[in-house]
Amino acid sequence: MLRCVSGLCRARGVLPRATLGFCPSPRNPGHRRGKWRGGEIFEVCKMASGSTQTPTGRVNRLINEKSLYLQQHARNPVDWYPWGQEAFSRAAREMKPIFLSVGYSTCHWCHVMERESFEDEEIGRILNENFICVKVDREERPDIDKVYMTFLQATDSGGGWPMSVWLTPDLRPFVGGTYFPPEDGVRKVSFRTVLLRIVEQWKENRAFLCERSERILSVLQSSSGIDGAAEPPLSLPVQKLCFQQLERIFDEEYGGFGEFPKFPTPVNFSFLFCLWALSKGSPEGTQALHMAVHTLKWMMYGGIHDHIGKGFHRYSTDQTWHVPHFEKMLYDQAQLAVAYAEAFQISGKEIFSDAAHDILQYVLQNLSDDAGGFYSAEDADSLPNAQSKEKKEGAFATWTAKEIQQLLPDMEEANGNTFGDIFMHHYGMKEEGNVSASQDIHGELQGQNVLIVRSSLELTAAKFGLDVARVQTILSMCRDRLYKARRLRPPPQRDTKILASWNGLMLSGLARCGVILRDEEYIERAKLAASFLHENMYDLKSGILLRSFYKGHQPIADLVPGFLDDYAFMVRGLLDLYEACLDQFYLEWALQLQDRQDQLFWDAKGSGYFCSDASDSSILLRLKDDQDGAEPSGNSVSVVNLLRLACYTGRTEFTERSGQILAAFSERLLKVPASLPEMVRGNMIYHQTVKQVVVCGDKEDPNTRELLEAAQSMYVPNKAASQSLVLAASQILKGDVE
């Protein structure tokens, strides 16, 4: 769990309070070491910003790395190493502590700390003289990130990125924090002060620090297991408690869960839709559907939705979904496309299908590689214009009132208003800007407007004496014109790293939306992506899936092997694609990946899957993720994958393994199921009767396709055992067949 590092973080860009694990304040006994003042879940990160000016004529080892995040630090005066034996050997040889800095290319505070500290010559000198400095891209190496984030959270040292941890030469952590500011202040310690204190402690109390690191690691190892049970928990009490926990924090006015910041959290929608489908007519089911649909509506109307460029930003800093952090992540687009498509499938309302198309159009235009894969993310920050030297958050996506009136001067003869007047009213724009100072403490959005729909088409039409169709036409024309104007601005940077896990989510997004929205082009695009992944990110000889792909960086042996999420998300994506097109190849590949996943990650003693395999001796802990967050956990996804595969193959060991995962996480499911809504959904499916929809006939025959479309038109949440499964006649297995 990542916790808010500055109370409720109610102001956009509030800095996290740095913590130093072994340095409590003796003058303030009420101020516990590293104690968070708020208990709200919060991701301490937003997309990159900062100066485009970098020192020239000097590079470090990171210049040769594939990761964009590492390359961004290649011109620091810090003598950075990538994670690897070269750095570890030097630390052991010189008996110096390791300074580990973890982040990712689109993390705002990572860039702030780089600009303030890592580009500073004096800081560089202190680091180089006293530490072995290692930089890690958390998206490339989630296993490293997971180990040391667990340490931070276990020692009340915070959570979020950038993550700053100091290690002994044998990689055991002894102190850590997140962002550290450049200057000392009230209740905050500068990065320089932190470094000098650690240098002093390492010289005078090295034995104590090493002993402390041993104790910490021992505790983490002993607590890394999960207390399970012999059997999966019953479905009804778990789903009921999960619903109650979500309903308790549901915002009845604006949708979402909790006050702010507000994250989309698509796993919540998946659970709520499933609960509705399995308890139709009940007050609980009705409320579950309302919570999901109401939230999706407000998100679609809000500033978190890019009304001009399409797609969704990462999350909202306020209760009304108005002012977002402007980064766009592939995993959000993939999951939200499915959520909106399913909302359309259930409700029949085209506003939801429009939103799903909107998201996929953004991905295909902006995050799509010509060869077939999908890029990771698009930055929040960019240059306001070609002459600017400093990037600003939201510069690409926000508008002044003056810009709108200049771009939309057309006069509507029926009422004497300009298109700009109509557009500004409908999207909540103000002459002085519509972002409050409390949401913009750095002043980056002063005078700017974040587009947000706060007036229905009917109300806008009534205000300007127009019919609804005319208003729709005007707004569409305005959006097209603004889109063209925005393309002339300096674009935000894209991280073109291609990750197997997020591409697996995108396979699901395209396949599911292709089926629900009856758009064959989406299914064809998913096939292209699957072909790319099979050719470039899968080793046929070993059966190993790769974590990431970078253009021009081969051979396969040089790349990082996949982790649990990569396998689990890819298996789900391939199964969704198989159901969409009935091509046996995707089912066969999914089976191969599942078998390899079982070999690499399964915990034979405690059940469930580890996040990483046992091949890397530098990873001190093998952990299991017990939370569904921005992405579902690999174990949660695997529960349903295994049930689906059991249906297709008749292999009962898949069903048994699915139940073993649920049993392993039973304590958490019984106490805080809202932290694992995707696994709760899996538990519901596990306890349902297996249902199969068998469509027999030539898959190219129009009659077969018509039957298939009829079966797929219904929302059936059980993506495995009780979902509408599509099988060839030769694959009919035992079970209830409809």
Side-chain angles (χ1 to χ4, degrees):
M1 179 180 295
L2 305 183
R3 294 179 179 171
C4 177
V5 292
S6 52
L8 297 178
C9 197
R10 298 188 175 184
R12 175 181 168 277
V14 171
L15 300 182
R17 176 167 52 83
T19 59
L20 187 59
F22 59 83
C23 187
S25 173
R27 297 185 181 182
N28 186 359
H31 178 61
R32 285 185 57 216
R33 177 180 68 219
K35 178 68 175 178
W36 302 115
R37 290 181 292 171
E40 307 221 352
I41 299 173
F42 180 57
E43 191 172 84
V44 190
C45 207
K46 59 189 179 76
M47 297 292 269
S49 70
S51 173
T52 60
Q53 300 173 331
T54 56
T56 58
R58 173 180 58 202
V59 295
N60 55 48
R61 296 168 188 81
L62 301 187
I63 196 68
N64 297 316
E65 293 300 306
K66 301 177 290 295
S67 161
L68 175 61
Y69 175 65
L70 299 190
Q71 291 176 359
Q72 288 170 342
H73 293 263
R75 289 176 171 79
N76 296 164
V78 180
D79 186 20
W80 290 113
Y81 284 81
W83 182 269
Q85 193 56 49
E86 183 183 5
F88 309 155
S89 297
R90 184 183 168 194
R93 185 170 62 250
E94 299 180 14
M95 275 307 296
K96 288 182 178 179
I98 294 171
F99 168 58
L100 174 64
S101 177
V102 181
Y104 56 101
S105 68
T106 50
C107 166
H108 173 71
W109 290 112
C110 301
H111 290 273
V112 171
M113 192 164 176
E114 179 191 16
R115 185 173 64 250
E116 294 174 344
S117 296
F118 300 147
E119 291 181 356
D120 183 84
E121 295 289 340
E122 182 188 4
I123 294 296
R125 179 187 59 79
I126 295 172
L127 284 168
N128 295 339
E129 290 178 358
N130 298 281
F131 303 94
I132 306 302
C133 301
V134 175
K135 179 66 74 171
V136 168
D137 180 345
R138 68 172 296 266
E139 293 173 350
E140 186 178 56
R141 293 299 304 266
D143 53 339
I144 300 169
D145 177 71
K146 180 72 174 175
V147 168
Y148 295 106
M149 188 62 71
T150 299
F151 158 73
L152 284 192
Q153 294 168 343
T155 56
D156 278 342
S157 298
W161 300 276
M163 176 167 62
S164 305
V165 185
W166 285 264
L167 321 176
T168 62
D170 56 359
L171 308 181
R172 293 173 300 187
F174 60 88
V175 66
T178 53
Y179 165 87
F180 292 95
E183 304 291 340
D184 291 322
V186 178
R187 290 193 176 184
K188 64 180 181 179
V189 184
S190 71
F191 187 55
R192 181 180 182 277
T193 298
V194 169
L195 292 175
L196 294 177
R197 288 183 183 177
I198 294 176
V199 169
E200 180 183 2
Q201 290 291 321
W202 186 256
K203 289 179 180 178
E204 297 182 2
N205 298 304
R206 181 182 306 174
F208 168 76
L209 294 179
C210 290
E211 180 184 350
R212 181 178 188 272
S213 71
E214 289 181 6
R215 292 200 307 269
I216 291 171
L217 186 62
S218 177
V219 171
L220 291 178
Q221 287 173 331
S222 64
S223 62
S224 61
I226 296 174
D227 295 328
E231 298 290 337
L234 296 176
S235 179
L236 287 178
V238 171
Q239 70 190 52
K240 183 175 181 179
L241 181 57
C242 185
F243 169 75
Q244 290 172 343
Q245 290 177 344
L246 288 176
E247 186 182 37
R248 196 174 301 133
I249 59 173
F250 174 63
D251 183 344
E252 189 64 51
E253 185 172 5
Y254 296 105
F257 302 92
E259 293 183 353
F260 52 88
K262 279 185 175 177
F263 291 82
T265 321
V267 288
N268 287 341
F269 306 133
S270 183
F271 161 71
L272 292 169
F273 286 150
C274 183
L275 181 61
W276 166 79
L278 297 181
S279 54
K280 289 180 182 177
S282 71
E284 198 173 69
T286 301
Q287 176 65 359
L289 181 61
H290 165 71
M291 289 160 62
V293 169
H294 187 65
T295 300
L296 288 168
K297 279 184 181 179
W298 278 98
M299 286 172 50
M300 182 174 58
Y301 296 147
I304 192 174
H305 178 207
D306 186 346
H307 296 277
I308 303 302
K310 306 183 187 301
F312 279 77
H313 300 297
R314 179 66 194 94
Y315 64 91
S316 174
T317 63
D318 59 87
Q319 184 179 359
T320 66
W321 303 102
H322 180 198
V323 182
H325 284 307
F326 290 86
E327 67 270 29
K328 292 179 180 177
M329 311 300 293
L330 179 64
Y331 58 78
D332 280 326
Q333 315 308 320
Q335 295 177 93
L336 285 173
V338 174
Y340 278 103
E342 291 181 341
F344 164 71
Q345 191 177 32
I346 292 169
S347 69
K349 295 181 179 179
E350 291 188 1
I351 57 170
F352 296 123
S353 62
D354 290 344
H357 285 301
D358 173 292
I359 294 168
L360 294 181
Q361 287 173 24
Y362 163 74
V363 172
L364 296 177
Q365 290 172 2
N366 296 276
L367 297 180
S368 181
D369 184 86
D370 291 341
F374 294 99
Y375 303 140
S376 297
E378 191 172 53
D379 210 331
D381 300 17
S382 59
L383 296 172
N385 54 63
Q387 291 72 43
S388 300
K389 301 296 183 182
E390 296 288 329
K391 292 181 179 181
K392 291 186 177 181
E393 183 176 13
F396 191 68
T398 56
W399 305 87
T400 64
K402 182 179 180 181
E403 286 176 311
I404 295 299
Q405 293 293 2
Q406 288 176 341
L407 290 166
L408 306 173
D410 315 54
M411 189 68 67
E412 177 62 21
E413 295 181 0
N415 55 29
N417 294 108
T418 67
F419 282 10
D421 295 332
I422 298 170
F423 186 88
M424 286 183 61
H425 171 78
H426 189 74
Y427 286 102
M429 296 184 62
K430 299 178 181 178
E431 290 291 337
E432 68 277 15
N434 67 3
V435 179
S436 67
S438 64
Q439 294 174 294
D440 183 33
I441 62 172
H442 292 161
E444 292 177 299
L445 298 179
Q446 187 174 2
Q448 299 290 327
N449 287 274
V450 177
L451 304 186
I452 182 170
V453 177
R454 284 295 178 260
S455 176
S456 68
L457 288 170
E458 290 77 12
L459 288 175
T460 298
K463 177 176 175 61
F464 292 98
L466 302 170
D467 60 43
V468 171
R470 179 57 181 164
V471 170
Q472 286 179 309
T473 299
I474 290 173
L475 293 178
S476 178
M477 292 169 58
C478 291
R479 289 192 298 267
D480 289 343
R481 194 176 300 175
L482 293 181
Y483 177 77
K484 293 175 182 177
R486 204 170 84 166
R487 285 175 63 89
L488 301 176
R489 297 175 176 178
Q493 189 175 31
R494 286 183 304 186
D495 189 336
T496 58
K497 174 171 68 256
I498 296 174
L499 298 175
S501 60
W502 298 359
N503 273 254
L505 291 174
M506 201 63 228
L507 283 182
S508 288
L510 288 165
R512 295 283 297 130
C513 288
V515 167
I516 296 170
L517 306 178
R518 300 192 180 184
D519 193 321
E520 195 66 29
E521 290 186 9
Y522 293 151
I523 297 173
E524 290 302 313
R525 184 60 183 84
K527 292 179 182 179
L528 178 63
S531 177
F532 170 87
L533 294 165
H534 190 267
E535 181 178 345
N536 294 281
M537 300 183 69
Y538 180 63
D539 185 0
L540 286 171
K541 291 183 179 179
S542 65
I544 294 293
L545 187 66
L546 299 179
R547 168 64 179 175
S548 53
F549 175 86
Y550 301 87
K551 280 188 174 181
H553 290 278
Q554 294 293 85
I556 282 178
D558 294 337
L559 301 177
V560 178
F563 302 99
L564 172 61
D565 288 359
D566 298 301
Y567 284 83
F569 296 179
M570 278 294 299
V571 169
R572 181 164 78 173
L574 290 169
L575 293 179
D576 287 335
L577 184 52
Y578 169 68
E579 288 188 12
C581 68
L582 301 181
D583 188 329
Q584 191 78 10
F585 168 77
Y586 303 117
L587 176 58
E588 292 172 354
W589 189 21
L591 277 166
Q592 292 166 8
L593 289 178
Q594 185 62 58
D595 286 338
R596 203 73 175 101
Q597 175 183 319
D598 293 345
Q599 295 168 14
L600 292 171
F601 306 107
W602 183 254
D603 179 2
K605 295 181 179 179
S607 296
Y609 293 103
F610 291 111
C611 294
S612 58
D613 64 29
S615 63
D616 190 342
S617 61
S618 70
I619 304 303
L620 302 182
L621 299 171
R622 295 185 73 195
L623 301 169
K624 298 174 187 175
D625 197 353
D626 61 354
Q627 181 171 328
D628 296 324
E631 306 164 57
S633 73
N635 275 287
S636 294
V637 172
S638 293
V639 169
V640 181
N641 287 348
L642 290 163
L643 292 172
R644 296 172 79 176
L645 287 170
C647 254
Y648 287 127
T649 66
R651 288 171 56 178
T652 58
E653 68 267 26
F654 284 149
T655 302
E656 293 170 1
R657 183 151 290 184
S658 178
Q660 289 168 350
I661 297 172
L662 294 168
F665 288 86
S666 60
E667 182 179 17
R668 193 154 177 84
L669 287 171
L670 289 167
K671 291 182 178 179
V672 280
S675 66
L676 282 168
E678 182 66 16
M679 191 174 288
V680 174
R681 191 178 74 89
N683 192 48
M684 294 163 70
I685 294 171
Y686 178 85
H687 288 284
Q688 293 295 313
T689 302
V690 176
K691 295 182 183 294
Q692 298 177 353
V693 174
V694 180
V695 178
C696 301
D698 184 349
K699 66 180 180 180
E700 303 302 329
D701 188 304
N703 292 325
T704 303
R705 300 302 302 179
E706 186 176 351
L707 283 172
L708 178 60
E709 288 179 359
Q712 292 172 333
S713 66
M714 299 178 292
Y715 176 76
V716 182
N718 312 45
K719 293 199 174 188
S722 52
Q723 186 188 7
S724 299
L725 299 177
V726 182
L727 306 176
S730 61
Q731 296 172 272
I732 299 176
L733 306 172
K734 291 181 179 180
D736 295 336
V737 180
E738 296 184 354

